[in-house]
Amino acid sequence: MSVQAPPRRGKARTQPTARRNFLGLDREGLMLAVPALIPVVIFSVYPLLRGIYLGFTDAQAGRNTETSFTGFENYQRLMGDSYFWESFRVGLIWAFSVTILQFFASLGLALLLNQKIRMRWLARTLALVPWAMPPVVIGIMWRLIYHPNAGLANSVLKDVGLISENIDWLSSFSLALPAVILVGVWAGMPQTTVVLLAGLQSVSRELHEAASMDGASTWQRFRNVTWPAIAPVVTAMTTLDFIWNFNSFGLVYVLTEGGPGGATRLPLLFAYEEAFRYGNYGYAAALGNAMVLVIAVFVVFYLIRRMREAK
Amino acid sequence: MDRSRPVATTLKYAALFAYLVFLAFPLFWLISTALKTPQEIALIEPTMIPNEPTFDNFRAAFSEQPIARSIVNTAFVSSVSAFLTVLLSIPAGYVMARYRSVVSRAAIVWVLLSQIFPWVLVIIPLFLLLRDFGLYDSHLGLITVYVVWSMPFALWMLRSYVAGIPYELEEAAAMDGATKARTLREVIAPLLAPGVVAAGLFAFVSAWNEFLFALVLIRDPDLQTLSLTLVKFIGAEGVARLGPLAAASLVATIPSLIFFAFMQRRLTGGLLGGAVKS
């Protein structure tokens, strides 16, 4: 969730250089920062480093004192673990599908909401509904919709004539993942739409009108005027969306707990099971490390794009 | 142009309508389910609007599951987390805005990193750490995690609010011989009020909605937060229980909705405004 702080009034000024320690803070500054720094270091920085280390050990529930360093053993095991590859594949399909579908769906909605339409405020408010709901409630709500007997999905599809028998969406090996992806898109659309809408507001109206006068079609104007203006926003947003989706947990946990038969077991769900159901802390941490590596690849890819765009 | 192209206009509104049904209708369905009788929920052909709206499901939810207890737990954990987050973030946000220091730069990197971080990497060691401190399965442990977890964003918000306050005000206070802590308390903090409210609400709602940490760190049913109780509710999945489940889910949504109503202008307006100006 992102909230914009008000724009800066006047130019921000920083402290004039006084006696500073090696951190660049004077005594008073340090006193002000320390109350926040201590919990952050203890409960965020330290666990992060310990988590990385844990991935190279055989730590298990109930025998943490005898944990020993095992180097790359966990990673070798990961490479040969078909459950890991399955969750990795599911995670990539999920993250790519949700990100791409969410982007195109949101772009369409943002383009519509950016036009002069009647009751625009109402449309904008309704479009933001998923954003205002807790993830667990979203999961529960969609379980009601996908319910095999009382669910709305079956009833609507039967009315339209697309299906004749009730389907148990979330228990079907082939349908569970697409069903869950749809919920992911639903949940993520408002934020993506708002970001795109903000991007569209920055598109030059004059340039649009000039192109229109020169006889450019709607598509040509989109391709040559709108798209170049929003492209940087799109790159940043889709990269972040991908990372968030790859890291998601709560929504899918509530919907399917990773089932049926691992069909929706995202990497985080796999790690959660390994750690807290089977007690394999070291192995789960190794999986976390592997995920960070994957994400790092995307961040690097994004930074390269950024640098090329800046040129 | 609209008048000259009626087909395009109709298509436009049809597309918009389809979007809005897709995005807003599930919530309507949740509300509708929460108000139906068990008999009506069990119908083969579901009704859109309940025939005889009833609040029985709300009553049932509270009597069948410890919802009331969970609400109290969640409200307690969320308020304390929000209070501590803001209390720690005001001075730290001030330092980030006013000093060019290693700490400020590191904080910015940390804020950005926290956005892309896979939490599983932290949750196992955090679980071990809290257990070693005797904070596992306690509200204090959960609060600690929520404070650290909300802080990146609260810091980021408060930092930009501080940067918007003219430095001259502080210089004047310094001339009068006030210490920095006092200036912060008496000059800056009152001006930060809107930022403090926004950051506090954000921390409150994040904690209220949170699920993964609560799932890992809380075991005692008496300590459970609302998210956990709702998920447990799913386990007992008779059709008859869908009503209470929907009712309880709606109750859990209330703080989010209030936060959203309150922040909406800033969420959309601020973001859009910022983009227009730049």
Side-chain angles (χ1 to χ4, degrees):
Chain A
M1 185 178 285
S2 67
V3 181
Q4 190 85 350
R8 291 177 178 191
R9 274 163 278 157
K11 198 166 179 295
R13 292 240 326 252
T14 51
Q15 298 280 338
T17 324
R19 280 161 296 130
R20 302 267 178 95
N21 60 17
F22 70 102
L23 290 169
L25 289 174
D26 55 23
R27 223 177 63 85
E28 285 187 302
L30 198 62
M31 295 297 287
L32 292 172
V34 155
L37 271 175
I38 290 174
V40 164
V41 170
I42 297 179
F43 294 102
S44 171
V45 177
Y46 168 71
L48 165 63
L49 297 176
R50 186 165 164 190
I52 294 170
Y53 172 73
L54 216 52
F56 295 91
T57 69
D58 60 358
Q60 270 187 330
R63 41 162 269 191
N64 294 295
T65 40
E66 314 158 34
T67 298
S68 54
F69 185 84
T70 52
F72 285 93
E73 215 170 86
N74 286 328
Y75 301 90
Q76 275 170 347
R77 205 180 124 197
L78 268 181
M79 291 302 114
D81 184 342
S82 63
Y83 288 111
F84 160 71
W85 286 112
E86 181 58 19
S87 81
F88 198 73
R89 192 181 71 91
V90 170
L92 285 179
I93 294 176
W94 152 270
F96 269 114
S97 316
V98 174
T99 305
I100 291 168
L101 293 171
Q102 187 171 299
F103 166 68
F104 282 108
S106 304
L107 182 64
L109 181 59
L111 286 169
L112 284 167
L113 290 175
N114 194 39
Q115 297 190 21
K116 283 200 186 75
I117 48 172
R118 259 169 274 170
M119 310 263 273
R120 186 156 71 167
W121 66 271
L122 181 66
R124 282 189 176 181
T125 305
L126 288 179
L128 297 178
V129 162
W131 206 353
M133 302 193 67
V136 166
V137 172
I138 292 178
I140 289 171
M141 188 175 67
W142 280 88
R143 280 184 74 143
L144 296 180
I145 292 172
Y146 285 136
H147 196 280
N149 304 320
L152 184 69
N154 279 327
S155 142
V156 168
L157 290 176
K158 269 199 298 198
D159 284 348
V160 181
L162 279 173
I163 57 172
S164 51
E165 294 277 302
N166 277 357
I167 295 171
D168 193 352
W169 300 91
L170 297 175
S171 304
S172 151
F173 189 78
S174 54
L175 293 174
L177 187 57
V180 168
I181 286 171
L182 182 75
V183 181
V185 173
W186 182 86
M189 262 184 70
Q191 200 172 353
T192 309
T193 304
V194 167
V195 173
L196 284 172
L197 207 46
L200 288 175
Q201 305 267 309
S202 68
V203 175
S204 152
R205 200 148 295 214
E206 291 80 18
L207 216 55
H208 243 283
E209 276 160 16
S212 198
M213 302 272 250
D214 293 343
S217 68
T218 310
W219 167 248
Q220 282 171 326
R221 275 181 288 143
F222 175 78
R223 180 74 195 79
N224 297 313
V225 181
T226 308
W227 183 255
I230 62 169
V233 176
V234 170
T235 316
M237 189 192 66
T238 44
T239 309
L240 270 180
D241 277 345
F242 180 86
I243 293 167
W244 285 329
N245 289 327
F246 196 62
N247 287 340
S248 49
F249 176 85
L251 191 63
V252 178
Y253 183 90
V254 175
L255 279 165
T256 64
E257 280 195 64
T264 60
R265 195 196 283 126
L266 303 181
L268 260 194
L269 282 126
F270 178 76
Y272 171 81
E273 277 182 7
E274 278 295 326
F276 299 106
R277 198 159 290 165
Y278 307 119
N280 298 325
Y281 298 146
Y283 191 52
L287 181 99
N289 288 344
M291 283 181 70
V292 173
L293 268 185
V294 173
I295 287 164
V297 169
F298 280 89
V299 172
V300 168
F301 172 76
Y302 166 67
L303 289 175
I304 292 170
R305 282 280 305 257
R306 259 308 271 279
M307 284 196 294
R308 261 196 223 137
E309 272 165 11
K311 265 180 202 165
Chain B
M1 199 197 272
D2 275 3
R3 224 166 291 156
S4 63
R5 296 172 63 188
V7 177
T9 308
T10 311
L11 277 177
K12 195 166 79 184
Y13 278 99
L16 189 63
F17 182 74
Y19 267 119
L20 297 182
V21 168
F22 175 61
L23 289 170
F25 190 77
L27 178 61
F28 171 81
W29 184 248
L30 185 69
I31 297 170
S32 166
T33 307
L35 296 174
K36 283 177 186 171
T37 59
Q39 292 78 20
E40 196 172 351
I41 290 174
L43 290 178
I44 307 280
E45 276 300 313
T47 46
M48 288 295 151
I49 295 164
N51 291 323
E52 313 156 43
T54 166
F55 285 98
D56 284 354
N57 289 325
F58 291 88
R59 240 167 278 144
F62 278 87
S63 62
E64 282 170 27
Q65 292 281 332
I67 299 282
R69 182 67 182 258
S70 306
I71 290 177
V72 173
N73 287 340
T74 318
F76 172 73
V77 168
S78 307
S79 343
V80 177
S81 304
F83 176 74
L84 291 177
T85 304
V86 169
L87 195 71
L88 296 175
S89 297
I90 293 173
Y94 172 83
V95 170
M96 273 178 80
R98 293 294 197 226
Y99 288 85
R100 292 159 66 88
S101 72
V102 179
V103 174
S104 308
R105 266 187 303 247
I108 290 171
V109 172
W110 176 67
V111 165
L112 295 175
L113 266 183
S114 69
Q115 290 299 306
I116 57 170
F117 208 73
W119 285 98
V120 66
L121 201 56
V122 168
I123 202 151
I124 299 165
L126 203 52
F127 161 78
L128 298 174
L129 185 70
L130 288 174
R131 210 188 48 188
D132 294 348
F133 283 0
L135 292 173
Y136 169 69
D137 205 11
S138 77
H139 281 161
L140 187 59
L142 199 59
I143 288 168
T144 308
V145 174
Y146 287 163
V147 169
V148 173
W149 180 59
S150 307
M151 225 159 27
F153 195 68
L155 271 177
W156 192 250
M157 270 166 105
L158 288 169
R159 185 194 79 110
S160 48
Y161 274 95
V162 172
I165 296 170
Y167 185 57
E168 286 71 19
L169 284 178
E170 283 174 54
E171 280 176 334
M175 296 269 237
D176 294 340
T179 61
K180 203 146 283 166
R182 198 167 156 210
T183 313
L184 184 58
R185 208 164 49 232
E186 288 172 15
V187 182
I188 305 291
L191 293 169
L192 274 181
V196 167
V197 172
L201 277 176
F202 170 78
F204 182 90
V205 172
S206 307
W208 183 281
N209 291 350
E210 207 281 329
F211 175 64
L212 176 58
F213 287 125
L215 180 69
V216 172
L217 298 177
I218 299 293
R219 179 155 258 162
D220 186 345
D222 286 344
L223 297 180
Q224 278 184 351
T225 55
L226 204 46
S227 296
L228 288 181
T229 312
L230 285 176
V231 171
K232 279 218 160 161
F233 222 145
I234 299 177
E237 204 189 3
V239 174
R241 302 177 83 79
L242 293 180
L245 182 59
S249 300
L250 276 181
V251 172
T253 311
I254 292 168
S256 277
L257 284 177
I258 294 174
F259 168 76
F260 207 77
F262 188 85
M263 296 293 285
Q264 206 200 7
R265 285 180 71 93
R266 196 163 282 138
L267 284 164
T268 53
L271 203 61
L272 297 178
V276 174
K277 265 166 224 139
S278 62

